[in-house]
Amino acid sequence: MSAEWSEAITATFIVVAAFLCAAAGIGLLRLPDVLSRLHAATKPQILGLGLIIVDVAVSNVSIATIAFAIAILFFQGLTAPISAHMVGRAAYRGDHVRRDLLVTDELADAVSRADERSGRGDSGDDSASDESPESR
Amino acid sequence: MQIALIAAGVMFGIGALAAVYRIVTGPSLLDRVIASDVLVVTIMCVLGAEMAVNHHTDSLPVMLVLGMFGIVGSVSVARFMSKQDST
């Protein structure tokens, strides 16, 4: 009974995680620009990997396996949002965003206010904004 | 169980092949970074699925290292990408 339930949970979670990975791949192929591809790509990074890790911990239960599972989930939950944030920020600053697809751009107001506050006239704007990332 | 595993393998393959295609023909550098992240996550999921099916835990350190250091490539590329780079 317990072994059958373990097998069923294993198969179900593997199929759901594989569906999330396939959805991320199809989203990478179909979606039009960097930000929407980023939206598709970050789904299996937390949910799919969490399902697989729970699956491993259910498959063979021991203290060492559960400690590894918690460590993997902790580090993936720590690093995946950071990398997604950095890629999205670089996409916005590097003009990889298709602005005709945006409904509203709330960051543009903050950028224009920061430009007005720091003075528009200097020609070294690119290097200055690279040095102080809080100004964008 | 066998049918579920075959379907899961086909879907993992679709995800990985789509990520490889986007790495090869991505219009910008950031698309390639995102697609390589998806490829790393797919590899981690396949390792974990193989461990769960075969009831062993040999690949758990590999998954931990991939989860900890997969960030380095994407963050460094995104941080130091120059503004005019469109390849």
Side-chain angles (χ1 to χ4, degrees), chain A residues 81-102:
Chain A
I82 296 173
S83 72
H85 168 75
M86 292 294 286
V87 169
R89 182 167 162 269
Y92 190 88
R93 293 177 59 177
D95 269 342
H96 291 294
V97 181
R98 281 182 58 185
R99 296 186 191 277
D100 53 337
L101 295 177
L102 293 180

Side-chain angles (χ1 to χ4, degrees), chain B residues 35-66:
Chain B
S36 66
D37 271 350
V38 170
L39 191 59
V40 167
V41 169
T42 307
I43 290 170
M44 288 174 73
C45 286
V46 171
L47 283 175
E50 189 264 337
M51 276 191 293
V53 169
N54 290 331
H55 298 289
H56 66 89
T57 58
D58 295 339
S59 310
L60 272 176
V62 182
M63 289 180 70
L64 182 61
V65 169
L66 280 178

Side-chain angles (χ1 to χ4, degrees), chain A residues 12-122:
Chain A
T12 309
F13 280 8
I14 285 175
V15 167
V16 173
F19 173 73
L20 282 172
C21 285
I26 293 170
L28 279 179
L29 287 187
R30 297 281 300 167
L31 290 176
D33 68 339
V34 173
L35 291 185
S36 49
R37 280 175 196 148
L38 189 63
H39 152 72
T42 46
K43 295 301 165 277
Q45 287 188 355
I46 296 296
L47 186 56
L49 197 69
L51 287 174
I52 288 290
I53 286 298
V54 169
D55 214 354
V56 174
V58 165
S59 168
N60 35 17
V61 181
S62 71
I63 297 295
T65 308
I66 292 173
F68 255 114
I70 290 172
I72 290 171
L73 274 185
F74 176 73
F75 281 112
Q76 185 72 20
L78 200 67
T79 56
I82 296 173
S83 72
H85 168 75
M86 292 294 286
V87 169
R89 182 167 162 269
Y92 190 88
R93 293 177 59 177
D95 269 342
H96 291 294
V97 181
R98 281 182 58 185
R99 296 186 191 277
D100 53 337
L101 295 177
L102 293 180
V103 176
T104 178
D105 189 3
E106 292 178 341
L107 191 54
D109 300 336
V111 169
S112 63
R113 259 189 280 119
D115 280 344
E116 284 180 4
R117 200 164 52 232
S118 66
R120 299 300 301 267
D122 56 342

